[in-house]
Amino acid sequence: MIEVLVVDDDFRVARVNAAYVAKVPGFHVRGTAHNAAQALAVLEGGGVDLVLLDHYLPDETGLSLVRRLRQSGHPADVIMVTAARDVATVRTAMRFGALQYIVKPFTFAGLRVKLDAYAQLRRALDGAQEAGQDQVDRIFGALRTAAASTPLPKGHSAPTAELIRRALSDASLPLSAHEVAERTGLSRSTAQRYLKQLECSGRLRLTLRYGETGRPEHRYSWPEGTPAA
């Protein structure tokens, strides 16, 4: 069993997330914590393989806790589960070694995809001392597949996501939400809603272009080989 620590300052959210984890075969909830100090106490007791970690904690940020874990050499893996959507936080989480980043709110199906991919990653690593290129590709591919396979949330349709995918794939340069709306016939608000969801799930790539006003324009591109749904 993969032992999981669920960390969230909201008691109800922590309870729901723990219930989600308990429904996935091969995973067991080791405990829950509602601040960084509680999380550290559980982790120091040993036996935790994976931490589902919120960023907004009352005593320190989740990213600060991840950094402390890495500096101390703690082996627990981390998946961020948070409402923080800013690119700086996402990049810092990646730099500190978070394996996945799940944006709230999310569905059980979305979380299960990530957990199944994590279990696949552990299986690929178990017992291995050295890895050839094929095994390395499988190890990294497990997490990429999870991002590409995350189900669309309620209220989003696969045909509309595919329409946006085609528009971005056919474009020679990244497109703004306005340009995507023009090419697909969707309203700008609908295009923006889908683009934000697809970017948060890791399907498309977001870049910022700065103009004379200093306010960055969000532009989107579709990495080759990434499915829409």
Side-chain angles (χ1 to χ4, degrees), residues 14-51:
R15 188 162 54 245
V16 169
N17 291 353
Y20 279 172
V21 172
K23 291 170 63 177
V24 181
F27 288 82
H28 176 259
V29 178
R30 183 79 171 189
T32 59
H34 307 295
N35 56 51
Q38 291 177 358
L40 281 172
V42 176
L43 288 165
E44 288 171 357
V48 175
D49 301 306
L50 175 66
V51 184

Side-chain angles (χ1 to χ4, degrees), residues 103-152:
V103 178
K104 296 178 182 178
F106 57 90
T107 63
F108 167 68
L111 176 62
R112 178 164 185 169
V113 167
K114 298 292 194 298
L115 294 181
D116 285 342
Y118 175 74
Q120 181 181 345
L121 174 66
R122 286 181 64 92
R123 287 193 295 270
L125 291 171
D126 280 349
Q129 299 299 320
E130 294 185 357
Q133 187 62 54
D134 288 346
Q135 187 177 12
V136 170
D137 291 342
R138 286 195 299 273
I139 291 169
F140 282 90
L143 299 180
R144 288 198 299 268
T145 300
S149 302
T150 304
L152 291 169

Side-chain angles (χ1 to χ4, degrees), residues 179-210:
E179 291 168 334
V180 170
E182 285 186 334
R183 295 187 182 209
T184 59
L186 300 170
S187 69
R188 189 182 186 285
S189 61
T190 297
Q192 183 66 64
R193 178 162 55 91
Y194 273 78
L195 289 166
K196 179 178 291 186
Q197 193 282 324
L198 292 168
E199 186 266 324
C200 287
S201 68
R203 289 179 172 92
L204 56 76
R205 182 178 298 116
L206 169 65
T207 56
L208 301 179
R209 187 175 73 177
Y210 290 85

